[in-house]
């Protein structure tokens, strides 16, 4: 064993061959001075073949440069330590193959000379097991990811199926509700026919009979009175039928709006011409000011329908000798038409329901009406990006505001 004494050789021989780990002893110049049988077998060398060789013989080429720095540092600060903590170490077999190792370094001083004993363990099997564990973990993670994705897709499919079924259920419910509404509409229509049509038809029949009896020129005034009654009743019936046709078209989504540019005065004049036939004794409609040059881009027929409804209601729910005011103003990008009356007003507790279909306030039940006019008006105005609102005080009157888009 190099420069060791015979006594030291005996001691090293007993110690080295008693352990299963590889033991390699080097001097300060990193020359191998002792190797046990386990180390020879580990690195593939015969007995005493490594003696006097440099330690780099057992280190792969790519790690030798860094190893010299580590070895020099260890010699300068000799103490027991685990070599290569935190990084992989490799040994070089005689056949040129590298293999993973662990090495513990131990400084020795014999006969005034410093040596380092390296206890080397071949960890090829452990590394293989670790790699297998890593591979298994990776496979397990892949399976988890795959199963999670499959589960997520299953959940998404279930959610989509639930959503489709809910949508189908809602469509069925909506269809059933529409069918119920239609049946209610038919029922209410028949009820209204019996109530709302009976009185005007009776008036028309009576007036028609009397007109036939007034044959002389002196009775012309009486004829005119009954002819006016007939026109008024026919107009009332026509309005009712128009309302029901509007409800049917709105429900079926068959309303086709046609916006054009037209003078506002044209529509108001037509509304007031028809309304004049409904005026009670002493009632007066105040025509709006400064509208001769106002032109709007809107659905002309819808605006006429809405204003007709509001003006006719103002007449119907106001007493004799009252005034109905129509005012027009511009507010930002809207044109506002206000219809005010001095009528019975709407009770405060019932105002939130006034645009509901078939709703009629308690104080209006004695007046003829279907309860669908305001609902139709609001639906049309909303569809055309406008708005309709009101203020009302019971027994003092109401003001309805119609706002439609307007560019001056």
């Amino acid at each position: 064993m190099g420069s060791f004494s015979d006594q030291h050789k005996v001691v090293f021989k007993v110690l080295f061959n008693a352990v299963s780990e590889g033991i390699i002893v080097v001097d300060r110049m990193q020359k191998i001075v002792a190797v046990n049988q386990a180390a020879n077998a580990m690195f593939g060398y015969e007995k005493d073949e490594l003696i006097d060789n440099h330690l780099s013989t057992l280190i792969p080429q790519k790690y030798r440069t860094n190893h010299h720095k580590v070895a020099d540092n260890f010699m300068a600060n000799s103490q027991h330590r685990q070599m290569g903590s935190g990084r992989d170490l490799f040994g070089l077999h005689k056949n040129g193959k590298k293999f993973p190792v662990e090495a513990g370094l131990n400084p020795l001083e014999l006969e005034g000379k410093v040596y380092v004993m390296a206890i080397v363990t071949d960890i090829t099997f452990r590394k293989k097991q670790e790699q297998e564990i890593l591979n298994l973990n990776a496979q397990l993670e892949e399976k988890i990811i795959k199963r999670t994705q499959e589960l997520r897709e299953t959940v998404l499919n279930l959610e989509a199926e639930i959503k489709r079924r809910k949508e189908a259920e809602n469509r069925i419910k909506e269809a059933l509700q529409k069918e119920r509404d239609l049946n209610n509409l038919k029922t209410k229509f028949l009820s209204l026919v019996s109530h709302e049509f009976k009185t005007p038809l009776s008036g028309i029949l009576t007036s028609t009979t009397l007109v036939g009896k007034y044959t002389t020129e002196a009775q012309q005034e009486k004829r005119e009175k009954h002819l006016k009654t007939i026109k008024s009743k026919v107009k009332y019936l026509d309005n009712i039928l128009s309302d029901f046709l509007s409800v049917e078209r709105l429900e079926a989504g068959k309303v086709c709006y046609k916006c054009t540019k037209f003078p506002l005065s044209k529509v108001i004049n037509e509304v007031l011409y028809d309304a004049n036939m409904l005026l009670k004794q002493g009632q007066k409609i105040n025509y709006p000011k400064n509208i001769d040059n106002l032109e709007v881009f809107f659905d002309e027929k819808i605006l006429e329908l809405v204003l007709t409804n509001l003006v006719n209601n103002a007449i119907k729910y106001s007493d004799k000798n009252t005034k109905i005011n129509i005012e027009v103003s511009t507010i930002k990008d809207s044109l506002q038409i206000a219809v005010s009356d001095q009528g019975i007003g709407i009770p405060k507790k019932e105002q939130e329901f006034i645009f509901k279909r078939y709703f009629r306030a308690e104080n209006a039940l004695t007046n003829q009406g279907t309860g669908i006019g305001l609902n139709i008006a609001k639906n049309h105005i909303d569809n055309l990006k406008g708005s309709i609102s009101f203020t009302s005080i019971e027994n003092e009157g109401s003001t309805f505001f119609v706002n439609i888009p307007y560019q001056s």
Side-chain angles (χ1 to χ4, degrees), residues 250 255-259 299 302 379-381 383-384:
L250 283 167
V255 180
C256 295
Y257 298 107
K258 184 178 180 181
C259 292
D299 189 305
I302 294 300
N379 276 307
H380 282 311
I381 293 296
N383 290 343
L384 288 166

Side-chain angles (χ1 to χ4, degrees), residues 118-162:
I119 301 176
V120 183
T121 305
D122 183 347
I123 59 173
T124 300
F125 182 71
R126 188 206 302 172
K127 284 291 185 181
K128 184 178 179 181
Q129 287 184 318
E130 289 178 353
Q131 188 59 47
E132 288 179 356
I133 292 173
L134 290 175
N135 292 339
L136 288 173
N137 287 338
Q139 292 174 10
L140 181 60
E141 287 180 5
E142 289 179 2
K143 287 182 179 179
I144 291 173
I145 292 172
K146 184 179 179 181
R147 295 290 186 271
T148 302
Q149 181 62 31
E150 290 174 351
L151 181 60
R152 185 178 293 112
E153 289 175 358
T154 301
V155 171
L156 290 175
N157 290 335
L158 286 173
E159 289 177 347
E161 180 63 24
I162 291 171

Side-chain angles (χ1 to χ4, degrees), residues 22-185:
I23 299 177
I24 302 170
V25 181
V26 299
D27 60 16
R28 294 184 66 89
M29 303 304 296
Q30 298 184 48
K31 185 174 67 174
I32 300 173
V33 297
V35 182
N36 72 346
Q37 293 177 5
N40 284 324
M42 187 184 301
F43 287 93
Y45 290 91
E46 297 296 331
K47 181 181 179 182
D48 296 334
E49 188 177 355
L50 285 171
I51 300 301
D52 294 332
N53 280 287
H54 195 276
L55 183 60
S56 61
T57 304
L58 304 179
I59 299 172
Q61 183 67 40
K62 66 179 293 185
Y63 301 106
R64 289 177 183 175
T65 302
N66 187 58
H67 175 76
H68 285 304
K69 296 178 182 178
V70 174
D72 291 341
N73 180 61
F74 180 78
M75 286 298 186
N77 302 278
S78 295
Q79 56 182 343
H80 295 281
R81 71 173 68 173
Q82 186 71 22
M83 187 177 179
S85 179
R87 64 178 186 272
D88 292 332
L89 295 179
F90 292 92
L92 181 64
H93 197 276
K94 186 178 180 180
N95 62 13
K97 293 183 179 180
K98 68 176 184 176
F99 59 95
V101 297
E102 278 185 352
L105 305 181
N106 300 275
L108 297 173
E109 186 174 345
L110 296 173
E111 298 179 350
K113 294 182 179 181
V114 176
Y115 300 93
V116 176
M117 181 174 65
I119 301 176
V120 183
T121 305
D122 183 347
I123 59 173
T124 300
F125 182 71
R126 188 206 302 172
K127 284 291 185 181
K128 184 178 179 181
Q129 287 184 318
E130 289 178 353
Q131 188 59 47
E132 288 179 356
I133 292 173
L134 290 175
N135 292 339
L136 288 173
N137 287 338
Q139 292 174 10
L140 181 60
E141 287 180 5
E142 289 179 2
K143 287 182 179 179
I144 291 173
I145 292 172
K146 184 179 179 181
R147 295 290 186 271
T148 302
Q149 181 62 31
E150 290 174 351
L151 181 60
R152 185 178 293 112
E153 289 175 358
T154 301
V155 171
L156 290 175
N157 290 335
L158 286 173
E159 289 177 347
E161 180 63 24
I162 291 171
K163 183 179 179 181
R164 284 193 294 271
R165 292 190 181 189
K166 283 185 176 180
E167 288 174 351
E169 182 182 350
N170 290 336
R171 286 195 296 270
I172 293 172
K173 286 181 178 179
E174 187 176 341
L176 290 173
Q177 185 60 45
K178 285 185 177 180
E179 185 176 350
R180 283 194 291 268
D181 290 344
L182 182 59
N183 288 333
N184 289 336
L185 182 63

Side-chain angles (χ1 to χ4, degrees), residues 210-318:
L210 292 174
V211 165
K213 293 182 179 181
Y214 299 137
T215 58
T216 64
E217 186 175 346
Q219 296 172 318
Q220 180 61 27
E221 185 177 345
K222 293 182 179 180
R223 282 198 297 270
E224 291 292 341
K225 176 184 176 182
H226 289 292
L227 287 173
K228 184 178 179 181
T229 298
I230 292 171
K231 287 181 181 180
S232 173
K233 301 299 183 183
V234 170
K235 182 64 178 176
Y236 175 75
L237 293 174
D238 182 64
N239 287 341
I240 292 177
L241 290 173
S242 295
D243 283 348
F244 275 102
L245 288 174
S246 292
V247 169
E248 191 277 331
R249 285 195 294 268
L250 283 167
E251 286 291 329
K254 296 179 180 179
V255 180
C256 295
Y257 298 107
K258 184 178 180 181
C259 292
T260 58
K261 195 172 185 179
F262 57 89
L264 180 62
S265 58
K266 176 185 176 184
V267 170
I268 291 181
N269 288 339
E270 291 175 356
V271 171
L272 297 189
Y273 177 79
D274 291 334
N276 282 328
M277 292 187 296
L278 305 176
L279 288 174
K280 299 172 184 175
Q281 183 178 347
Q283 281 186 330
K284 180 183 178 182
I285 300 176
N286 291 325
Y287 194 84
K289 299 177 181 178
N290 303 321
I291 66 167
D292 292 340
N293 297 321
L294 276 179
E295 289 190 332
V296 295
F297 185 78
F298 203 69
D299 189 305
E300 184 175 348
K301 293 298 181 183
I302 294 300
L303 185 59
E304 181 180 346
L305 180 150
V306 172
L307 294 181
T308 295
N309 183 279
L310 297 181
V311 172
N312 287 357
N313 281 350
I315 294 171
K316 184 193 305 183
Y317 298 116
S318 298

